[in-house]
Amino acid sequence: MSRNIRIIFIILSVIFIIFLYQICRFYMNVKYISVKDDPETNTVNVLRGDFYVFGENGFYGVKNSKGKIIIEARWNEINQIDSERFIVSSFASRGIRYGIIDTSENIIVPFVYTDITGYNDEFLVGTTEKGKYVLFDNSGQTLISEEWDAFRKNYDSKPLSFYGNYIQVKKEKNIYQIQSSSDGGLFMKKLIMTKKINGEERELTVLNRSSSLSLSDSCRIYNEVIDNTLYYINALFSNDTAAIMTLSWGDDYRDLMPDNMNIRGSELKYITDPVPEITDSENGIVSYRCEVSVYYISHDDIRWDGSYTDTENTARFEITYKKNTDGKLSILKARAIKTDVSEAGLPEDIKIRVTENAS
């Protein structure tokens, strides 16, 4: 190759590189230029559907493909959720705050969040000033009416329908896992709740069998079933009739007083972990039940001089609940069954002691 040909080749290569650079620069300017760097220049950022973002005087707005302004350029940042809703941010007294508006600039979610993040077009998470988390669907409706201490998605980049994926939220010591249902919705699959039983904190793990319960109802009703069950057992053994009456669904609270057991005057020693069960039936009715076993001492064979014999007992309670008109659960009926110690679900040390005393 002669010297002149090499020079021409080098010059053409330089021109080609400059040409590529200018194309890339033009593309980046159209798609991603910062409005604040050039406040008088309308900047295009193509969105889904018929919209694009434009910039004016340091702020962002939305136009349609005909150039009509859909959202005025007065927002610090705009991110599209769907064809009707956008996550936008604006300056507030405490810094930038995020909210959600529609194409008419109606406020769907108020501007009280330090961040709103979308996850795979499935749900949104807002972060409050206190570092709490709130879950929304893509329409801006809250998925659970709670503020959570912690939030994470098991696989961030994968949809919830992916095997083993779930949302986990935490409040105080309680942890809840949310999964995708077969119809594409969300339901509370697993609940890990800390409850005080017999004066000690216990971690109760519950697998939800009802997909018809809303996420908020799952948290509330499972807590209600467990709390009411513990309250009922303690009221029963302390002979607190007034407390039992408040738990009764009907007028006749005597249905909640087992007449096949000698409970009056008995001393409650131990309550096993309650096992709540909420299930959907074929006719659309949801049933609410809870089972719990107890270990108690009854004073039997009372003699004329007031002396008696202590008898150690174990029993299983099957408790059925029904909703009141206010949506709260009350006890419809309670059934008590005396059990053998091996069936009671008691800790091993209590089983050994009861067995030894019985022999």
Side-chain angles (χ1 to χ4, degrees), residues 177-209:
Q177 289 183 2
I178 303 166
Q179 292 185 6
S180 176
S181 60
S182 57
D183 61 1
L186 299 177
F187 76 108
M188 192 76 69
K189 176 62 176 177
K190 187 176 183 180
L191 304 90
I192 305 173
M193 297 172 284
T194 300
K195 298 292 182 182
K196 202 162 189 176
I197 307 174
N198 291 112
E200 63 175 338
E201 285 191 346
R202 296 193 211 159
E203 191 177 85
L204 310 180
T205 299
V206 177
L207 295 179
N208 177 27
R209 298 183 181 181

Side-chain angles (χ1 to χ4, degrees), residues 9 23 64 80 114 121 141 143 155 207 306 308-309 319:
F9 179 80
I23 290 177
N64 63 18
Q80 187 178 24
T114 59
D121 293 330
Q141 299 298 311
L143 288 173
Y155 299 110
L207 295 179
Y308 51 81
T309 301
I319 304 167

Side-chain angles (χ1 to χ4, degrees), residues 90-326:
S90 65
F91 292 98
S93 59
R94 295 187 180 182
I96 294 176
R97 292 294 180 266
Y98 289 78
I100 297 175
I101 62 172
D102 61 17
T103 51
S104 299
E105 298 199 48
N106 297 311
I107 296 176
I108 308 300
V109 173
F111 292 83
V112 296
Y113 297 96
T114 59
D115 183 44
I116 297 179
T117 303
Y119 287 81
N120 288 91
D121 293 330
E122 294 176 311
F123 64 97
L124 308 166
V125 177
T127 306
T128 70
E129 290 185 0
K130 295 181 179 180
K132 306 290 185 179
Y133 301 93
V134 179
L135 273 62
F136 301 94
D137 63 19
N138 283 337
S139 69
Q141 299 298 311
T142 52
L143 288 173
I144 315 179
S145 54
E146 297 278 354
E147 291 187 357
W148 303 97
D149 299 330
F151 157 86
R152 73 178 178 89
K153 188 180 178 186
N154 200 33
Y155 299 110
D156 268 349
S157 61
K158 298 182 184 298
L160 283 172
S161 56
F162 180 77
Y163 180 77
N165 208 4
Y166 57 83
I167 303 167
Q168 180 165 295
V169 289
K170 182 178 181 181
K171 187 169 186 178
E172 297 174 345
K173 296 180 180 180
N174 298 326
I175 299 172
Y176 306 98
Q177 289 183 2
I178 303 166
Q179 292 185 6
S180 176
S181 60
S182 57
D183 61 1
L186 299 177
F187 76 108
M188 192 76 69
K189 176 62 176 177
K190 187 176 183 180
L191 304 90
I192 305 173
M193 297 172 284
T194 300
K195 298 292 182 182
K196 202 162 189 176
I197 307 174
N198 291 112
E200 63 175 338
E201 285 191 346
R202 296 193 211 159
E203 191 177 85
L204 310 180
T205 299
V206 177
L207 295 179
N208 177 27
R209 298 183 181 181
S210 171
S211 59
S212 66
L213 288 179
S214 69
L215 295 176
S216 292
D217 279 347
S218 297
C219 291
R220 179 182 65 82
I221 291 180
Y222 271 103
N223 274 286
E224 203 170 323
V225 168
I226 293 173
D227 292 342
N228 282 359
T229 296
L230 296 173
Y231 187 60
Y232 164 71
I233 295 296
N234 281 290
L236 189 65
F237 279 89
S238 61
N239 199 30
D240 189 346
T241 304
I244 293 174
M245 289 176 66
T246 63
L247 291 171
S248 176
W249 186 82
D251 294 331
D252 193 355
Y253 71 93
R254 289 173 296 182
D255 291 340
L256 310 187
M257 309 288 287
D259 55 5
N260 61 328
M261 295 174 57
N262 181 21
I263 291 179
R264 183 177 297 275
S266 297
E267 183 181 357
L268 180 63
K269 303 297 289 185
Y270 191 87
I271 306 175
T272 63
D273 293 349
V275 181
E277 186 178 286
I278 300 176
T279 54
D280 302 326
S281 63
E282 293 181 358
N283 57 8
I285 296 175
V286 181
S287 63
Y288 312 91
R289 294 181 70 257
C290 191
E291 285 193 7
V292 64
S293 293
V294 299
Y295 159 54
Y296 65 101
I297 296 176
S298 59
H299 305 312
D300 301 326
D301 299 329
I302 301 176
R303 294 176 282 276
W304 64 271
D305 59 356
S307 60
Y308 51 81
T309 301
D310 281 341
T311 305
E312 294 180 290
N313 308 275
T314 56
R316 184 179 77 253
F317 284 82
E318 298 173 355
I319 304 167
T320 304
Y321 289 88
K322 189 174 181 179
K323 274 189 177 182
N324 277 319
T325 53
D326 60 0

